Amino acid sequence: MPVQLWVSVVELGCFAGLIALGFFLVLRGADVFMFALGPLAMFGAMFGAFQVSRNGWPLPIAALIGVAIAVALSGLTELLIVRPIHRRTGGQENPSIVAIVAILFALEQLAGTLFGRTPLPGTPFWSAQFRWGEAVISGQSIVLVAVTVLAFAGVALWLRRSANGRMLRAVGDNEHAARTLGVPVDRIRLIAFCLAGLLAGVAGSLFAAKAGVSFTSGLQWTLVGFLAVIVGGLGNVWAPLVGAVLVATLQTWSVFEFGHAMRDYLTFAVAFLFFAFRPKGIFQTKVRI
Amino acid sequence: MTTRTTPVAARGTSPLARHRWAVEAVAAAVFALALVAYGSGASFRQDYVVLICTYSLLALGMYIPYIMSGSLSLAYNAYLGIGAYACGLISTRAGWSSLWGVPIGIVLSAAIAVVLGLATRRLTGFYLAGVTLLFAVAFQVFLLDRVSLTGGPVGMPVRRPHAFGYTFTRYDIMIGAVVLVWIVGLLLSRLRQSPFGVVVRLRKDVPQVVESSGISSGTIGVVSLAVGAAIGSVGGSLFGMMGGVAQPESFGLHIIFLAIFMPLLGGQRSPWGAVIGAVLVVVFTFELHILSDAGTLFFAIAILLVLRFAPLGLLGLGTPLLRLLTRLRMGRTPGGEGS
Amino acid sequence: MDEILLSCSNVSKSYGGVAAVRAVGLELRAGEILGLIGPNGAGKTTLVDVITGQQTADTGVIRIGTVSLTGPPSRRARLAGFARTFQHPQLALDMTVRENILIGAVPDRFSSPWRVLASAFSGAARPATPEIDDRITDLAAELNISALDRMCADLTLGEQRLVEVARALLRGPTVLLLDEPFAGGDPRGVEGMIHALTRIVERGCGVLVVDHNVDIVASLVDRLVLMDQGQVVFDGLPTAAMASQEMRTVYFGSGT
Ligand SMILES: Nc1ncnc2c1ncn2[C@@H]1O[C@H](COP(=O)(O)OP(=O)(O)OP(=O)(O)O)[C@@H](O)[C@H]1O
Ligand SMILES: [Mg+2]
């Protein structure tokens, strides 16, 4: 595989890793797979790209507001939809899933209606180009890698050091027990959703510069992150990043070797094989009472 | 023993219970006639009616596995697609009537549903939804990619169906579609009340009970998926025959989302909820021109509102009314079972 | 009648570090009501789960007659003729009492994929099952279950337990395992259950009753097994059990 493609692997791996880290946080904190993170990332990125390309806003302001919107929407998702439904159904899984899928769908349609149904170009934060051997590395990829490393280190530190971070695990493992122990479950869940929204918003606005963004990107992004979580597992904070890089390698290589269709077949096959042979890593975080 | 003769007698005399199916069949037939009347106008209306029927069959196909049995196996675009492409392939390649594509599609999609169901039998919830969505993506890519088989992005033509020397018109297909939805809806409604339906619904809430009663919960799940896939495939065949073409873009993930939401919008307590949901989708997305391309957005928002505030769907809004009526009736019938 | 229906030998099960059941041996004979008592966390529910297959044993053998019993709960239930109730009643709350009970009458219609498919078609053709409905009505009368068309969400805990017992009885079991059937029940319901139990025992069914209500259990059963910390500490006649040293040790601390 040419060196240049390895640069793509790193970019895609970092991006998918950020989304997967968002999944990780919500899974840990609320025991919910927040499928709407991809569309949240898309929504923030579309907002930024739309304001920059159509209204001439300065990039930092547009991107910042885009990220803020992602955070707010993620928090509102929990407050207005997921939490009330979770309460009403006594914590059943399917109603929450359907609600989250509905949000995913609504975000897609909202973005399509507000920002148009054609792809928008993203703008890089740092447009410098560096040659390194045969490969060209853009400033934007350096920013993406730096932000990813910072985000993972920050979340790892937060989970270990802060009171909220330590409580997060307790809530996801057994919400009922956590509640009886006096853990502020509602607050922890909200924090998890907002942090995930932040990660998604940042990931989206950084990655949009690579290939642009359209209102249908969200679902693809969700599925890449999903796969990263499946491959990496939930064993520790860095697992989603490892999974993401593996998935990015596989996808980039299969496109290079066999073309786009093979990428999607392999993606399904890998998810499937992991479920068949390594389901423990996924299911063990659940404790039955 | 006197205690037990009373409820039996009450069941025998309850007029609603005795004529329940007749009432339902007639009400649905009235609705079907209204659809046909609407479709007897301009030609594009026939397309709408068939689209409503296709979506209805899709949602009815999901009704057993998803609403009744609680399985989020979501690869329904594949079953629909198989139905349409089977009609296309059999009519263009083999030169047979595209009607043959219907049974072929049924068998093929049921077989795929069984394989997928067995392969994912240990998964539930988010993981099942995620992995079947990946399968759905792979299926659509397959349609785009295998040009020699599927015709690639432009798809393949589906010839008008013919039988005994008669070639069906678009109007005929529309009538057939409406009748089909009427039959499948009634059958599913009956199925829901039957022992099979009871067992499948119990599987959703209390799978342990199904298992400890000596019934394999996995088998129930797989059979439900197969039946659902078969119904969905028929919907796909109809869609293909009406449009005269089978194209990948018709079988993308968006129809899965629509299908998940249709029964919720209409109401989960009856298969007719799925049909009502299908009508609403088509009305929202095509018929309401004031909404232009925001129709799907309005649909999405409607879904969120229903999920949040009316968990029983639109039909569910009628339930309090029905309960009131039953109470009034029971008050008058001596030996009613509500004591 | 003292043919052995069900036997466990050396059965153990731990959850992570918790040894819930340790090297338990147990026999259940035809026509016998066996009581299983013990303090909270003694491992009673775990033992029932391991027998019926809701949990898999770490060690040990469970035999039905001479056949060793393995596999998922549905297979075990078919082979051994098990029916059981659950400590936390397992009822679909938005379905009627009748529907919740009905499943007990129909397992034969679902014994293979083809039969499942066939019953889907025959169900759509003929949804009503008057003959089963009559059986349910009779059983409900015997157990003092009043309204069969109520939603299970409207039932008290005691009524829910009655519904579970009715479902299990409708199966016509060879071995019936009841996990705390009397907890939260009213006297009429308990009376109905006891009546039904004595009836099925007469036709050779073996019954295992787990409950904390020692008075009811001791007066009902033929034999009493006492469990503590995962082990069987006493197995014998109820009168002997009530007077035993082990009983005092387990329930009142060091027995002096
Ligand atoms: N699913 C599980 N996961 C982990 N530990 C469990 C699980 N089920 C039971 N335990 C533990 O195993 C031990 C035995 O529990 P079990 O429920 O079998 O006791 P029991 O005798 O039925 O008690 P009770 O009278 O309270 O019902 C307890 O310490 C319990 O905490
Ligand atoms: Mg117990």
Side-chain angles (χ1 to χ4, degrees), chain B residues 4 190-191 201 211 214 337, chain C residues 74 78 99 120 124-125 138 149:
Chain B
R4 97 179 164 84
R190 293 168 71 85
L191 180 102
R201 283 185 286 146
E211 277 283 327
E337 289 178 47
Chain C
S74 52
R78 274 201 306 277
E99 288 173 323
D138 289 350
D149 290 305

Side-chain angles (χ1 to χ4, degrees), chain A residues 39-125:
Chain A
L40 278 175
M42 173 277 296
F43 198 88
M46 282 284 267
F47 177 87
F50 184 80
Q51 300 302 1
V52 170
S53 63
R54 300 291 155 83
N55 298 335
W57 288 22
L59 174 65
I61 292 181
L64 208 64
I65 297 182
V67 171
I69 289 176
V71 175
L73 285 175
S74 187
L76 288 176
T77 298
E78 156 72 355
L79 286 180
L80 298 183
I81 308 285
V82 179
R83 181 183 300 171
I85 289 177
H86 181 78
R87 288 242 175 96
R88 185 181 69 216
T89 59
Q92 281 174 30
E93 204 174 21
N94 282 8
S96 295
I97 301 177
V98 172
I100 286 176
V101 171
I103 297 211
L104 180 161
F105 185 69
L107 281 174
E108 260 192 5
Q109 295 305 322
L110 188 64
T113 307
L114 291 179
F115 310 125
R117 293 182 189 255
T118 46
L120 294 173
T123 321
F125 284 84

Side-chain angles (χ1 to χ4, degrees), chain B residues 59 65 68 73 119 122 132 146 161 211 235 243 314 316 331:
Chain B
M68 280 168 56
S73 186
R122 278 152 69 195
T132 48
R146 302 311 309 276
E211 277 283 327
L314 296 183

Side-chain angles (χ1 to χ4, degrees), chain C residues 40-41 43-46 87 179-180 210 212:
Chain C
N40 292 113
K44 308 180 293 293
T45 299
T46 306
Q87 183 172 353
D179 200 349
E180 305 203 5
V210 176
H212 284 291

Side-chain angles (χ1 to χ4, degrees), chain A residues 96-157:
Chain A
S96 295
I97 301 177
V98 172
I100 286 176
V101 171
I103 297 211
L104 180 161
F105 185 69
L107 281 174
E108 260 192 5
Q109 295 305 322
L110 188 64
T113 307
L114 291 179
F115 310 125
R117 293 182 189 255
T118 46
L120 294 173
T123 321
F125 284 84
W126 185 19
S127 44
Q129 303 268 341
F130 303 94
R131 287 205 76 82
W132 184 60
E134 289 167 29
V136 181
I137 300 171
S138 67
Q140 183 75 0
S141 0
I142 297 175
V143 175
L144 181 58
V145 172
V147 167
T148 305
V149 172
L150 275 178
F152 270 87
V155 169
L157 214 62

Side-chain angles (χ1 to χ4, degrees), chain C residues 154-175:
Chain C
D154 302 336
L155 303 183
T156 64
L157 179 63
E159 290 172 316
Q160 294 194 348
R161 294 203 188 283
L162 275 176
V163 173
E164 282 222 305
V165 171
R167 177 170 68 202
L169 287 174
L170 193 62
R171 218 170 114 49
T174 317
V175 176

